[in-house]
Structures are given as structure tokens and as C-alpha cells.
Amino acid sequence: MKKTKLILIITIILSIITITNINAEEIKINSNNGILYNVNDNKILYTKNEKEKVSIASLTKMMTALVAIENINDINKKVTFQKQDYNNLLQIDASSSSLDYKKEYTYDDLLHGLLMESGADCANALARLTKGNTKNFVNEMNKKAKELGMNNTSFSNPIGMDSKYNYSTMEDLTILFKEGLKNITFKKIITTLEYTLSDGTNINHTIKFYEKLDNIDIPYIKGGKTGYETNSGYALATIAYKKGTTLMFISSNAKKRGDHLKDAKKVYDYYFDNYDYQTIVKKGETIKTLNTKYLNQETINITANENIKYYLKNDYNKNDINIIYDGLDEIDYTNKYMSKIGTLSIYYKKELVKTTPVYLNQKTHPDYRLIILACITYIFIIGTTIIIVNRLKKKRMLEQI
């Protein structure tokens, strides 16, 4: 069978990932650093100084929580604070949780106090309880960062206190947040906005605190982590969900209180209002028409077997979607139903985003009259060829006598 390559500008994309990336200049945010990530498609959508190494304040505690969780055998085990966990927090202007140092709490309580209230006391206690001391725990934090490929990150303490050895980038924090969300315990706690501790105390997430304090309502934010230090300014990591899309926004170095949440709202609103999973092709829509040979049908339509959606701007240009078909340009009776007949390479603008197989998804019916005629013709040609060859052989033999 012959093969052909055709560039088809048609409206189809098969299970591909988002390519769109908005330049930082198109969305003005107050934070000096920011990154927006589409969790559904594993794709970065927006960046601003995302590779710059910066102080990250209490966003550090996301790694603290992840390392602690991975070293806790029984999350419901009761533990107690020691004076070293909270003694100097006031002097270093570190935040503390609502937990009473005289009471026993579960590890689960400490983790909620850490991620929801940004408790440095909980961070210190978890470091001591799981690894014996802060130094050992920080070593585990850096080891975990290296394992995750956070190559531009360093930790020097579990609470996020300003230090030239405690830094990261927005890219690396995206890796950390993604990894954390894979952990059931981490995800449950960081997306909890209101919680009751084992002693009956009710606590709220710092995100809700800032929303109320600065009169900012972002109902689609489902959780995350806030932070503030002199060097980092106001920092924020959030996850938001709306209309079937899950987005993650991380920022740092907002100078004014509330600006980190305003930035998150601006970026989320832009994408939730202007982007969606567009139906690019409908089930049953023709992808390509192929010619046939020895079949009752003159052509075979290759059709989509499902509705195909793709995350695009609402006013996207359909001409930016290109497909290269590489496969059979003719179907005959030897091609079986649902057999592979080629591949499609899908492009958005100039970037290859997906290569997918094409199957014969329509049953064919042989035209036996044409097949018999072809066989007779073949036999006739072969027979005639044999006769001619034999006559030539006899002629050469006679000439040699």
C-alpha cells in the first residue's frame, strides 16, 4: 500500500495538553515572582521571574509537612510540645499556632497547625519528633528537594525564617506543591479551611484570615499556604478549582499585605473567564477520507469515536491547529476492522503536542466480483508470462544446436 503525508488544518485534537503560555507583561501582578500551573494538563500557563532564587518564608512549611508526613507511622499518635519548640518564637517574630503547649495533641493536629495556621511551633515539634532535632530534619528536607529535582532550592530551617541558605524558585515550588498533592494526608490538610483539633479547638486557614482582613473573596481557592518574611514579602501558594479545571498559583515578593491574594484572584479570574476546555471535535466527526480498493465503498471515512476537548482561549484561532496524517491512503479487503492504518501528529501552532495512532473504525465489505476479476487477470498475466518465457527458452536452445 502507498503511504502519504498530508497537512490537514482541521478541528481535531486527540487527548493533548495545553501549550498556551501568557507572557508576564499581559497580566500585571504586584508580586515580583509568580507561576500558574494547570494541574489537569501538567502545564505551566503563566510565569513571572519564575527561575529567580528568592526567600520563600512559610512556603517552606510545605516541605516541612511533606517530610514529616513521610516519617510519621501513626498520624493519630498523641505527642507533646517541649519548650525548645516554642521558646524563642516571639523574639524572631515567627507565627505560632492555637495549640496549647501544656496539652497532648495528635500528629494530625500538629500538621493542621503547621499548614493551616503556619505554626512555627508545630514545625519545630514535628522536626524534633520525627528526626530527633532540627539539623537532621533539615538534612531530610534538602535530600527530598534533591530527589524531586528541585535543583535551585535550599533549606536551612523548617519554619521559613529568612536566611541566605533558605530559598527556592517558583518553578521548584511548583514541583514541591505537585508532589505534596500526591500525598493523601498532605492534600487533605492543605485543602482544609476550617478544622477542629482533638481538644475541641476550632482553627481557620490563614488564607481565610487574609481574605476577611483585606475584604477579598476568592471562593474557588480550595487551599494552599501563605507566608511572610522581610526578604520574601508576602508569599502565597494556592490551588483553585472551577468549571472542571484545577489551577495552582504560587507567588512571592508582594510588598503590601493583601496584594498576594489580589494577584491570585487576578490571574485565576483571567484564566477562568477567558479559557476553558473547548470541544474541538465531536463524536462521529470525520477526521479523514480514504480511497478504497476491492471494496463496495468507494471511500472510507475515519471518524472520531469521542468528543475531544482541549484547554484553549475562548476565542482561539482554529487555524492554529494542524494535523499531519502519516499512513495508508488506500483501504482494501486485507485491512481488518480496528486495525492500525496510520498515525496523526497534532500541532498547536509550531509545537508538536501529540502523536496518536489511527484505526480503521468502520467495517468494510469486499466486492468479490472485483476480487475474482483481479485474480483472473493475475492468473492470465502469470500464465501468459510463463508461456512467453518457455518459448524464449526453446528458441535459445534451437539456436544453440
Side-chain angles (χ1 to χ4, degrees), residues 51-291:
K51 298 180 185 294
E52 183 182 0
K53 295 179 182 179
V54 295
S55 176
I56 57 172
S58 286
L59 300 192
T60 298
K61 290 168 186 165
M62 291 195 295
M63 180 62 87
T64 305
L66 185 59
V67 171
I69 290 168
E70 292 178 347
N71 286 276
I72 294 172
N73 293 323
D74 181 6
I75 198 169
N76 294 313
K77 181 181 177 180
K78 289 289 186 73
V79 294
T80 57
F81 284 97
Q82 290 186 3
K83 191 173 182 179
Q84 66 194 70
D85 300 330
Y86 58 84
N87 192 41
N88 66 337
L89 297 185
L90 187 61
Q91 290 90 328
I92 63 175
D93 196 27
S95 57
S96 59
S97 70
S98 300
L99 280 68
D100 187 339
Y101 303 141
K102 297 178 182 179
K103 294 182 179 180
E104 281 189 334
Y105 289 98
T106 64
Y107 275 117
D108 197 28
D109 289 332
L110 265 63
L111 289 166
H112 278 84
L114 172 73
L115 290 176
M116 290 181 63
E117 295 192 303
S118 201
D121 45 1
C122 295
N124 289 332
L126 287 165
R128 173 182 55 80
L129 290 164
T130 57
K131 284 298 172 180
N133 56 60
T134 298
K135 181 179 179 181
N136 291 340
F137 190 86
V138 171
N139 287 338
E140 287 297 310
M141 293 172 69
N142 285 310
K143 180 181 177 181
K144 186 66 177 180
K146 186 175 181 180
E147 289 176 359
L148 295 177
M150 298 170 63
N151 299 321
N152 294 301
T153 296
S154 173
F155 296 108
S156 64
N157 61 83
I159 67 176
M161 185 171 59
D162 274 343
S163 164
K164 66 178 181 179
Y165 301 111
N166 201 88
Y167 59 83
S168 188
T169 67
M170 299 302 99
E171 280 188 338
D172 278 6
L173 288 177
T174 301
I175 296 172
L176 172 58
F177 204 175
K178 285 193 297 181
E179 183 67 18
L181 292 173
K182 294 177 185 178
N183 184 288
I184 296 174
T185 301
F186 180 100
K187 183 177 181 179
K188 177 181 73 71
I189 296 173
I190 208 165
T191 56
T192 297
L193 300 180
E194 297 178 356
Y195 183 73
T196 302
L197 300 172
S198 59
D199 69 349
T201 302
N202 295 319
I203 63 173
N204 295 302
H205 203 296
T206 53
I207 289 176
K208 304 306 292 183
F209 169 79
Y210 279 112
E211 281 187 338
K212 183 177 181 180
L213 188 64
D214 296 301
N215 195 28
I216 302 171
D217 183 28
I218 318 177
Y220 41 78
I221 286 184
K222 303 306 178 183
K225 185 73 193 72
T226 62
Y228 175 79
E229 279 286 350
T230 302
N231 292 339
S232 70
Y234 289 91
L236 181 68
T238 55
I239 187 165
Y241 177 84
K242 188 177 182 180
K243 297 188 297 185
T245 303
T246 302
L247 301 179
M248 176 193 299
F249 180 67
I250 304 174
S251 64
S252 69
N253 278 293
K255 303 307 178 186
K256 292 173 57 180
R257 193 197 71 206
D259 278 353
H260 52 344
L261 277 177
K262 291 176 183 177
D263 288 342
K265 178 174 173 58
K266 179 182 289 188
V267 173
Y268 284 139
D269 282 349
Y270 180 85
Y271 274 86
F272 285 141
D273 291 344
N274 293 285
Y275 283 76
D276 204 349
Y277 283 92
Q278 315 291 343
T279 301
I280 303 301
V281 64
K282 296 180 179 180
K283 183 177 180 179
E285 186 174 336
T286 298
I287 298 170
K288 181 171 174 58
T289 299
L290 301 177
N291 294 321

Side-chain angles (χ1 to χ4, degrees), residues 186-392:
F186 180 100
K187 183 177 181 179
K188 177 181 73 71
I189 296 173
I190 208 165
T191 56
T192 297
L193 300 180
E194 297 178 356
Y195 183 73
T196 302
L197 300 172
S198 59
D199 69 349
T201 302
N202 295 319
I203 63 173
N204 295 302
H205 203 296
T206 53
I207 289 176
K208 304 306 292 183
F209 169 79
Y210 279 112
E211 281 187 338
K212 183 177 181 180
L213 188 64
D214 296 301
N215 195 28
I216 302 171
D217 183 28
I218 318 177
Y220 41 78
I221 286 184
K222 303 306 178 183
K225 185 73 193 72
T226 62
Y228 175 79
E229 279 286 350
T230 302
N231 292 339
S232 70
Y234 289 91
L236 181 68
T238 55
I239 187 165
Y241 177 84
K242 188 177 182 180
K243 297 188 297 185
T245 303
T246 302
L247 301 179
M248 176 193 299
F249 180 67
I250 304 174
S251 64
S252 69
N253 278 293
K255 303 307 178 186
K256 292 173 57 180
R257 193 197 71 206
D259 278 353
H260 52 344
L261 277 177
K262 291 176 183 177
D263 288 342
K265 178 174 173 58
K266 179 182 289 188
V267 173
Y268 284 139
D269 282 349
Y270 180 85
Y271 274 86
F272 285 141
D273 291 344
N274 293 285
Y275 283 76
D276 204 349
Y277 283 92
Q278 315 291 343
T279 301
I280 303 301
V281 64
K282 296 180 179 180
K283 183 177 180 179
E285 186 174 336
T286 298
I287 298 170
K288 181 171 174 58
T289 299
L290 301 177
N291 294 321
T292 67
K293 186 177 182 180
Y294 305 133
L295 298 178
N296 286 333
Q297 311 100 299
E298 292 185 359
T299 59
I300 293 290
N301 290 328
I302 306 302
T303 59
N305 58 8
E306 62 178 332
N307 289 327
I308 307 299
K309 293 180 179 292
Y310 179 44
Y311 192 72
L312 287 170
K313 206 169 184 178
N314 295 332
D315 60 352
Y316 74 97
N317 186 349
K318 294 182 179 181
N319 290 330
D320 287 335
I321 302 169
N322 301 314
I323 295 179
I324 295 179
Y325 170 76
D326 182 8
L328 302 178
D329 62 354
E330 191 175 64
I331 301 297
D332 65 23
Y333 65 93
T334 64
N335 300 118
K336 304 300 182 182
Y337 175 63
M338 294 309 295
S339 63
K340 182 181 176 182
I341 59 175
T343 59
L344 290 177
S345 297
I346 302 109
Y347 290 80
Y348 179 74
K349 296 184 177 179
K350 295 182 179 181
E351 184 171 356
L352 175 66
V353 296
K354 181 72 176 181
T355 299
T356 185
V358 177
Y359 297 97
L360 180 59
N361 58 0
Q362 182 176 338
K363 292 184 177 181
T364 59
H365 304 283
D367 189 329
Y368 293 106
R369 293 173 303 172
L370 292 177
I371 295 173
I372 293 171
L373 179 61
C375 290
I376 293 173
T377 302
Y378 176 77
I379 293 171
F380 175 77
I381 293 173
I382 295 298
T384 302
T385 302
I386 292 173
I387 292 172
I388 293 173
V389 170
N390 288 335
R391 285 180 178 178
L392 290 174

